[in-house]
Amino acid sequence: MPFRSVDDLPPALRSHLPLHAQEIYRAAFNNAWVRYGAAPSSEREEKAHRIAWAAVKRKYHKVSEGWIER
C-alpha cells in the first residue's frame, strides 16, 4: 500500500536512510504502486519496493554503515 509520509515507511528504512533518500523511496514506491495496479497484490508490492530501492541507489550509495549522496 502507498505511504502517505516518510513516517509511514518501515522502521528499518527510517533508521538507516537519510531523510532525502526516504523521500525518494516513498515517491518511487507510490508511483510504482499506481503503475502496477493490475498486478497481484504481493507481486505489486515486491515490484514497488524494488523500484524504490533502485531510485534510492541512483542518488545515494552505501558507505560502511551509512548512505551518502552521489
Side-chain angles (χ1 to χ4, degrees):
M1 73 178 155
F3 299 106
R4 285 186 277 163
S5 74
V6 293
D7 294 331
D8 295 331
L9 292 172
L13 289 173
R14 289 194 324 257
S15 65
H16 294 296
L17 291 176
L19 179 59
H20 183 239
Q22 292 176 42
E23 292 167 345
I24 292 170
Y25 189 97
R26 186 186 73 79
F29 181 96
N30 289 350
N31 286 334
W33 183 266
V34 171
R35 181 175 184 185
Y36 294 102
S41 183
S42 62
E43 184 179 319
R44 181 183 189 188
E45 186 168 357
E46 182 182 334
K47 283 182 180 183
H49 281 296
R50 282 189 306 201
I51 289 167
W53 270 117
V56 168
K57 289 178 179 180
R58 278 193 294 275
K59 188 74 174 172
Y60 287 83
H61 67 279
K62 189 167 183 168
V63 175
S64 191
E65 294 298 315
W67 291 82
I68 59 171
E69 199 165 355
R70 292 185 184 268

